[in-house]
Every structure is written in structure tokens, then in C-alpha cells.
Amino acid sequence: MTELPDGFAAHVANVGVKDHTDDFVVITADRPVPAAGVFTRSRFVGPSVEISRSHLADRRARAIVIVSKNANVANGPTGTDDATELVDGVAGRLGCEPADVLVASTGVIGRRYPMDRIRAGIRAIPAAPHGRSADDAAAGIMTTDTVPKVAETTVAGSNARVVGIAKGVGMIEPDMATMIAVVCTDADVSPDELDTTFRAAVDRTFNCVSIDTDTSTSDTAVVLASGAAGPVDAHAFATALEQVCLDLTKMIALDGEGAETLIEVIVDGARDHRQAKRVAKSIVNSPLVKTAVHGADPNWGRVAMAVGKCSDDLDIDQDRVVIAFCGTEVYPTPVDDAALAALSDEMRSDVVPIHVSLGIGSGAATVYGCDLTDGYVRINADYTT
Amino acid sequence: MTELPDGFAAHVANVGVKDHTDDFVVITADRPVPAAGVFTRSRFVGPSVEISRSHLADRRARAIVIVSKNANVANGPTGTDDATELVDGVAGRLGCEPADVLVASTGVIGRRYPMDRIRAGIRAIPAAPHGRSADDAAAGIMTTDTVPKVAETTVAGSNARVVGIAKGVGMIEPDMATMIAVVCTDADVSPDELDTTFRAAVDRTFNCVSIDTDTSTSDTAVVLASGAAGPVDAHAFATALEQVCLDLTKMIALDGEGAETLIEVIVDGARDHRQAKRVAKSIVNSPLVKTAVHGADPNWGRVAMAVGKCSDDLDIDQDRVVIAFCGTEVYPTPVDDAALAALSDEMRSDVVPIHVSLGIGSGAATVYGCDLTDGYVRINADYTT
């Protein structure tokens, strides 16, 4: 079991949003603490994101309440009223200001919360939650996830820990943040340092994952720092925070709807980081590359196609591009059929790395995705409104 | 049977590029005639596209040779030599300048033409091809297509005809042109008018189809005008040309790999045409929308998500958006469960229209795509290099 860091507790319950699995999680610090958040850029954002963004303006928070299996998105003014009542209720139970409570919610769009059940759930929150299990909290925020996602590490040179939980398996190509991720640390970090460090970590981790190119209306990533473990080295903290975010990112990609293989696309030799990320996203998002990986087929022609379709990048020159699967160059140096067969065997693995060098400059990026399977189609054709 | 327009003939043969189906098509006019072309913007373009683009600089062509089941892409200088030998050989047989011969090629990437078989195929071209069947030519350019694609119409107020053939079912989100499409007309049209009219038609038809967001390295759309039917009204010609391109576009979408349903997305009330097309593409490309259509699920939340992820369009306001499936508004005015069930029945059809009004301005666009099915995954996971 992974415990939350010192200074944090969790209340995890089923209030009956959809079924009998846990769907109502409150993670609370023992007082208002430094906090930062990154949210979806969707133009169809829900009130959860709007409220949390506003409540983080002072870079402090006491608690976050997370409702799963209902996104409370596209419900108009009623949806905003429901979200406000939820936040006010949680604040009342914990004895803090509503402005210190954040809220996140994912699941079906366009359906109201069952407010009677939500109200009963609020009344059942203890004044001082004492649960310490990050695993329980991670399980409580799942929707179509098949496994709870928890990552932890310690900050080098200190006793401080960083513990993160996340959910999300579909509608995932975060643009500024992702799905729901909550990271707690007992390191003593200032609000400004926390904000800067978290945004940098999110950009290199959650913002580098794509399961299906679809950006959720509800993406929310939040970090809270209780300070209980005292001061830490800034660089060591940044490293620890990024490690936890990266571990969660890989868990999300590997648990993508129907996914069987994690695809790791490394692009280097680009003009700059932005170009490298754009090309890497083009590869990891290509349905033809995703199905080739699913079929364990080292079909580098499809990777070449995905590089080629970045047609605004006029400095991409096919004569300078190098493509490798699982560490073996396949273009431009040709490999024979025996080598292709060996590569195909190597691709029947949990992780398939695809490496593309553009031969332009020194920009690099790594992004994460998953294969496209019959399972993805079945899950999403059968999942009903 | 659809005949080619007056002034055109076709030679259709199997040369054994991959199997025993026809794979080698030469469409020829009786002399060099006005011609125009639009090509892929891919940075991994093949020599076929490079040669055709260069040979169309004078807006005239005598013939186009089309090889299917091998794209001749990413083969380096050898690939260019092979393509040049092919074009020179065809010109030699027809007795015209190589600069009047165009070439197009689709199929596997990174594998050389079987040049011995190509050479034998060139030797078998008659000096004056006399085949007139557009259906045979359409069948001869197929790769994974399941049906040949032929469209025809007449130019109002004249005897002139417009006949088009096309192929393409995967790796299809054309950026400037599409797959392979060849349109022949016996209307007498100047090279400049042909070029302008064709580009406009392609922008509203082939450039509005997306099967899987993947842009081919080989997309080529070409039109040739023999003039045999004499002059025509410019507006009537533009209408006829666009009609043929639109019919072919819909055939391509409906024959998308694994597709069972044509999705027609109409976006209006946008700031301008560009915004409307961007939003429409976001909807038609969303794997979650595509799987919802496959499941006959009027899941408008996913359409809202796809609108919302156009996050750079800051003027999109969810409170002004209206969403309809099959002509029935589903957002913001809610529909009850009975109406949703009726809509689901209506969606079990060959064509599902999705209509989104943004409430901003008067820009509009219609794009075409298809559902995402288990069949797409199976075709592309099993198709091997």
C-alpha cells in the first residue's frame, strides 16, 4: 500500500453516481497549503474546471473533491449550481473556506449529478478524514480505467515524498493538463516554486501522452504541498515531481482503452522542441502506426508517412530522416526480411520504442501513446449515453 | 458501363506488381490537352508526385500512367530512376514527349517496383489504346478498395461530359489533394480555367474527406480536358466538375477501411469557412465520435468534446453552440430517452449527418468521413510490410 505523504488524508466512498464502485473522493491537507493546477483548454469546459481554476488564483488549497462517472459538463447554469453546492458542502464539513476547496469530475457529459446522493455523500464526510491510502483514492477516481494509477518517489537528500494518483483511459490528448491527476507532497515548497515546477513537469509528462487525439472537457492536474517534511533542494524536488508525473503518464498510456502496448516515440535532431513534439505527436496519433504496432509490424513506411504529413515543416527533408524501431535502424539503411521478422518478434512486447532523427538541429521530445485495437472500438461503440 | 468522354482511351492491364488483379492503367488523350493537378503536401513525397507536378507546369498533358499496389515512395535515387524510366517508356509507346506524361502510384512504401514486370507492361501498351471503359480503369487503380469508384455527369446546356475515377480507402486525410483521382472531360476548357475550377472543386470535395487523419505520401488528383464536345458555359462546367468530385469523395468515405457508415458533418454559424472546416474536421476525425456512430449512439457529449478541443478558437462559446443528429437537435434543448432511442434507430443507416451551429458568424463547411470499426483495426493490424 502507498500512503499519502504526511499532512494529507483521504475520504473515499461510494455515493451511487452510477454503480456500487467508489465514486466520491476528498483529499485534504491539514490546513490550506501551497497548491498549483493545470487544466484543459477545451472550449466546452465544465464548472469543475472553472471553479478550481478560480480557487487556485491564490495558489493555496485545503482540499480537492473528485466525483467520478459523471463529468458535470454541458449542463448549463444548473451544472454550475450543482458544482458550487458540492464545493460549499465539502468546505462546510471540513470547516474551511469554499475558496480553499477544488473540484474535479469526469465521466458522462450532459447529465446532471444525482444531487440527492451527492448531498448524502457530503453529509458522510468526517470533519477530519483519517484515511491514508493513496491506492484507495486512486481506485475511487476511476471511470473506465482497468487499474488504479499510483506513483511515488522521495526527494533526494530529504525525507520528503511525492505521491501522485491519476485516472483516464479515453478522450485523452491533453492540451494543457490531463484527465485527473492529483499529486501530494510533504516537501515544504513555496506556492510560486510549486506552480513553476509543476507546469514544467506537466509539459514534459501529461502533455506528452495521447491515447486517441481527443481532448477531454475535464482535464485537471493538481499538486498540493503540505510542508510536513520540511525544506528540500529545488532541483531534487523538480526531479522527484517529474518522475511521479512521468510514471503516471506511462500508466495512463498503457491503460489506454483497449491498449495492449505502450508506444514511446522519441524524435530528435529537430529544429527545436516544438517541432520535435509536433512530429512525435503526428507519429503516436497515426491510426496506421497504432494498428501496425498492434500487429507487431515494423511498418516504417507508415512512420515516414506520419513524418511527411507535418507538411508545414518545410525543413523536413526525407533524405536526412532516420527511422528506428526498438533500436534497429530501418530507414534509410534497409533491413532484410530476416531482420524484419526478428524486429516483429521484438515488437510483441509491453513497450515499443520508435525513434526518428530529423537531421535538422538539436531539438528533441518524447511522447507516449498506445496501440489501436479492436478493444478500443468495442469499448467506445458499446459505451452508451 | 461508364464510357470515358470523347477524346480519351484507356489501357488497363495486370503486370504483376503484387498479384493477378489489374495494376497498370494508362489513360490517354488523342493529343496533348489542357490539364491540371493537385498533389499531396507530404514531406515524404514520392517521385511520381514530383514528376507529375513538374510535367504539369505547362498545364498540358497527353496521358497519365497509374501503378497500383506499390507507391514507389522512400526509395531514394533508384525510385526516381524507376519512375523516370516508366514515364519515358510510356511516352515512347504513345509517341509523345515524356513531359506530356503524368504518373501516379499508390501502395506499399519503401519497396522498389518490380522493374522487369513494369518493362514488360510498357512493351504491351498499344500505340493507340482503344479501351473506353471508365469502370475498368477505376478497377485497375484499386489497392485495398472494395469497390471501383466512378462518377459522371453532363455539363448543363451542352453535350460535354465529366467522368472521374478515384481510389483510396486508408491513409486518407488529404491536405491539398487526395489519394488518386483522375477526371476526364470532353468540354473545351482553357488550361487556366481548368486549373482554377479544379482547385476550387478539390478544396470543397477531396480536401473535405478524412478517413483516418493520415495523409498519404502519394495523393494525386488530375483533370484532363479533351475539348471534343466543344465550348461550355463556365459556371455549368464548374458545377459539373464539383459534382463528379463530390460523388467520388462520398464513395471514398463510404468505402473507408472497415467503414460501414458515411458521416457527413455540417458546421455553420462559424466566423469564416476556415473555422467551420477546422471544427468539422475535429468532429469527423474524433475516434470517439466515429465509434459512437458505429454504435448508433447519439452521443452528443462527444461532439461537444470535439468542438471544445478547438481550443485556439477563443470565440467558440458553449452557450451558443447547437448540436443536431440526423436533423434532431440534441443540445442545448435536451431530448428524452424515447427520442434518443428513436435517433439511435435512425443512425443505423448508410449516412449519418451531424450538424453543429456555432452562433458566431456565417461561415460554413461540410466534411465527410466514416465510422471507426473493428474492421479498420483488423485490416491495418494484419496488413503487413
Side-chain angles (χ1 to χ4, degrees), chain B residues 156-171:
Chain B
S158 78
N159 293 322
R161 299 168 64 230
V162 180
V163 177
I165 63 171
K167 61 85 48 179
V169 282
M171 205 180 276

Side-chain angles (χ1 to χ4, degrees), chain A residues 5 26-29 52 115 126 175 184 211 225 237 258 267 271 281-282 298 311 324 350 359-360 368 382:
Chain A
V26 179
I27 297 176
T28 177
S52 294
M115 284 306 292
D175 202 10
C184 299
I211 285 176
F237 176 68
V267 172
R271 182 170 67 241
K281 280 281 191 90
S282 176
S311 54
D350 283 353
I360 299 170
Y368 306 89
D382 297 345

Side-chain angles (χ1 to χ4, degrees), chain B residues 77-96:
Chain B
T78 314
T80 304
D81 291 348
D82 290 348
T84 303
E85 183 179 343
L86 170 62
V87 164
D88 289 354
V90 171
R93 292 296 303 168
L94 298 176
C96 69

